[in-house]
Amino acid sequence: MKVYEKELEIRSSRRVEFIDITSKILQVVKDSNISEGLCVIFVPHTTAGVTINENADPDVVFDIVKKLDSLIPRNDNYTHSEGNSDAHIKSSLIGVSLNLVITDGKIKLGTWQGIYFCEFDGPRYRKLWIKIIGE
Amino acid sequence: MKVYEKELEIRSSRRVEFIDITSKILQVVKDSNISEGLCVIFVPHTTAGVTINENADPDVVFDIVKKLDSLIPRNDNYTHSEGNSDAHIKSSLIGVSLNLVITDGKIKLGTWQGIYFCEFDGPRYRKLWIKIIGE
Amino acid sequence: MKVYEKELEIRSSRRVEFIDITSKILQVVKDSNISEGLCVIFVPHTTAGVTINENADPDVVFDIVKKLDSLIPRNDNYTHSEGNSDAHIKSSLIGVSLNLVITDGKIKLGTWQGIYFCEFDGPRYRKLWIKIIGE
């Protein structure tokens, strides 16, 4: 069994922003030299997340961000005093951890799928952990 | 370490539909001959998802579908021009990847749990990837 | 390859409640003697979930619970007759399965992250399955 781990740094430039990290993840898997296995992407933050969605038309991600903002507005009588409760709630709905399948030395993704780091309380420097096990 | 992979084809018959795939997944795990490990179910589409919920009373899934439709309506001033932004948003909220535990050669599920493929923009032919690692 | 599995019992004391299980999970990983690998937390119930969020200020979790209750109220013309459709819907949105990274014999978590068992239809006795693979 082989195990590989890598920490990436992401820089967001807006308060809410979906950043396409597909090519970075593909590179990590290539560097791992693991050809068959599982890859976990883990976001070590409580106001961010990670998701998979369409990477062809940027309007798709725009609509996701807009709908999340409308369901979970920034100001909404929250109790937490830091002004970022919306970001915490979005983080739990989108999730901070994601599983990917590795086959033939590559991440398997559908034709239109891209991997997005979801910033909900930026702009900030963020970290991302990738752990791969396999053979 | 053993690794096993299988692609399934799913056919949805409505625009929004939760399809019980539990027995199909159980069969894949049986075919894998892996007795202890982890199983990842991955949906390679951006307008579908995978979830676990009750498989006894079909009204449960009916209520989930209805609530998702009410929070994220099909028509809602979206920017993406293909008329399926709602499906993309639901896909990111429900998720396209799921972890299961394999023990004694079987998927471990709770008494009332079933695994559902979530179609949000059908009817279509869809694919589903199952990857298992263990021993 | 090493495989380790443990079942925990959780007791909730309210209908909706996020219970910090971080220290319990840390102990399970310690007991496993696995130093590098992946850990899956799986909730075998259809009206509960598991998430990661801030464990410093309890108001964060309070705001998540409140927002979920407002988006998915307990009474809302549901079809399922048991009066807990809201709990089933929340379970699918938050999710019943979570991936964690194990490095150097410990779960890797961000500075402010805690792991929460999410009760949506308590109070009840609940189970939680933890499965670890690695070396």
Side-chain angles (χ1 to χ4, degrees):
Chain A
M1 201 188 78
K2 291 189 205 164
V3 180
Y4 184 83
E5 185 172 343
K6 175 83 181 175
E7 179 177 291
L8 296 180
E9 190 164 276
I10 311 285
R11 196 193 169 178
S12 59
S13 55
R14 292 197 295 277
R15 180 157 195 266
V16 179
E17 184 182 11
F18 279 34
I19 300 167
D20 190 335
I21 55 170
T22 314
S23 61
K24 289 187 179 194
I25 303 296
L26 292 175
Q27 185 60 47
V28 171
V29 173
K30 200 175 168 190
D31 294 345
S32 76
N33 282 317
I34 291 175
S35 58
E36 297 291 324
L38 301 182
C39 171
V40 169
I41 303 178
F42 189 86
V43 174
H45 305 285
T46 59
T47 53
V50 61
T51 194
I52 290 179
N53 220 298
E54 184 178 317
N55 65 354
D57 177 3
D59 286 344
V60 167
V61 160
F62 179 87
D63 283 339
I64 299 174
V65 167
K66 196 174 138 193
K67 171 54 79 177
L68 286 174
D69 281 343
S70 116
L71 292 174
I72 307 148
R74 183 163 186 184
N75 299 303
D76 198 18
N77 261 326
Y78 299 115
T79 303
H80 180 54
S81 60
E82 290 179 17
N84 62 358
S85 281
D86 63 319
H88 287 290
I89 298 165
K90 290 172 184 173
S91 173
S92 272
L93 284 177
I94 292 294
V96 295
S97 143
L98 198 63
N99 282 301
L100 300 167
V101 165
I102 298 177
T103 302
D104 262 339
K106 288 180 201 154
I107 293 273
K108 274 188 89 168
L109 286 173
T111 314
W112 307 105
Q113 288 184 317
I115 309 166
Y116 289 93
F117 177 84
C118 309
E119 174 62 81
F120 296 125
D121 191 32
R124 295 204 208 188
Y125 285 98
R126 300 291 204 170
K127 288 189 192 318
L128 196 63
W129 299 335
I130 296 109
K131 188 115 189 180
I132 304 171
I133 66 173
E135 59 184 18
Chain B
M1 201 188 76
K2 291 188 206 166
V3 179
Y4 184 83
E5 186 172 343
K6 175 84 181 176
E7 179 177 290
L8 295 180
E9 190 164 277
I10 310 285
R11 195 191 170 180
S12 60
S13 55
R14 291 196 295 278
R15 180 159 195 264
V16 180
E17 183 182 10
F18 279 34
I19 300 168
D20 189 335
I21 54 171
T22 315
S23 61
K24 288 186 181 197
I25 304 296
L26 292 175
Q27 186 61 45
V28 170
V29 174
K30 200 176 168 190
D31 293 344
S32 76
N33 281 317
I34 291 175
S35 58
E36 297 291 322
L38 302 182
C39 171
V40 168
I41 302 179
F42 189 86
V43 175
H45 305 284
T46 58
T47 53
V50 60
T51 194
I52 289 179
N53 219 299
E54 184 178 316
N55 65 356
D57 178 3
D59 286 345
V60 167
V61 159
F62 178 87
D63 283 339
I64 299 173
V65 166
K66 195 175 139 194
K67 172 53 81 177
L68 286 174
D69 281 343
S70 116
L71 291 174
I72 306 149
R74 183 163 185 183
N75 299 304
D76 197 18
N77 260 328
Y78 299 115
T79 304
H80 179 54
S81 60
E82 290 179 17
N84 62 357
S85 281
D86 63 318
H88 287 290
I89 298 165
K90 290 172 184 173
S91 173
S92 272
L93 284 176
I94 292 294
V96 296
S97 143
L98 197 64
N99 282 302
L100 300 167
V101 165
I102 297 176
T103 303
D104 263 340
K106 288 180 202 155
I107 293 273
K108 274 189 89 168
L109 287 173
T111 314
W112 307 105
Q113 286 183 318
I115 308 164
Y116 288 93
F117 177 85
C118 310
E119 174 63 80
F120 296 126
D121 191 32
R124 294 206 209 187
Y125 284 98
R126 298 291 205 172
K127 289 189 190 319
L128 196 63
W129 298 336
I130 296 108
K131 188 113 187 181
I132 304 171
I133 67 173
E135 61 185 17
Chain C
M1 201 188 77
K2 290 189 206 166
V3 180
Y4 184 83
E5 185 172 344
K6 174 84 181 175
E7 179 176 292
L8 296 179
E9 190 163 277
I10 311 286
R11 196 194 168 175
S12 60
S13 54
R14 291 196 296 278
R15 180 158 194 266
V16 179
E17 184 182 10
F18 279 33
I19 301 168
D20 190 334
I21 55 172
T22 315
S23 61
K24 289 186 181 195
I25 303 295
L26 292 174
Q27 186 60 47
V28 170
V29 174
K30 200 175 168 191
D31 293 344
S32 76
N33 282 316
I34 291 174
S35 59
E36 297 292 324
L38 301 182
C39 171
V40 168
I41 302 179
F42 189 87
V43 174
H45 305 284
T46 58
T47 53
V50 61
T51 194
I52 290 180
N53 220 300
E54 184 177 317
N55 65 355
D57 177 3
D59 286 345
V60 168
V61 159
F62 179 87
D63 284 338
I64 299 174
V65 166
K66 196 173 137 194
K67 171 53 82 178
L68 286 174
D69 281 343
S70 116
L71 291 174
I72 306 150
R74 182 163 186 184
N75 300 304
D76 198 17
N77 261 327
Y78 299 114
T79 304
H80 179 53
S81 61
E82 289 179 19
N84 62 357
S85 281
D86 63 318
H88 287 290
I89 297 165
K90 290 171 182 173
S91 174
S92 273
L93 284 177
I94 292 293
V96 295
S97 142
L98 198 64
N99 282 302
L100 300 166
V101 165
I102 298 176
T103 303
D104 263 340
K106 286 179 201 157
I107 293 273
K108 274 189 89 168
L109 286 173
T111 315
W112 307 105
Q113 287 185 316
I115 308 165
Y116 289 92
F117 176 85
C118 310
E119 174 62 79
F120 296 125
D121 192 32
R124 297 205 207 186
Y125 284 99
R126 299 290 204 171
K127 288 189 192 318
L128 197 63
W129 298 336
I130 296 107
K131 188 113 188 181
I132 304 171
I133 67 173
E135 60 185 17

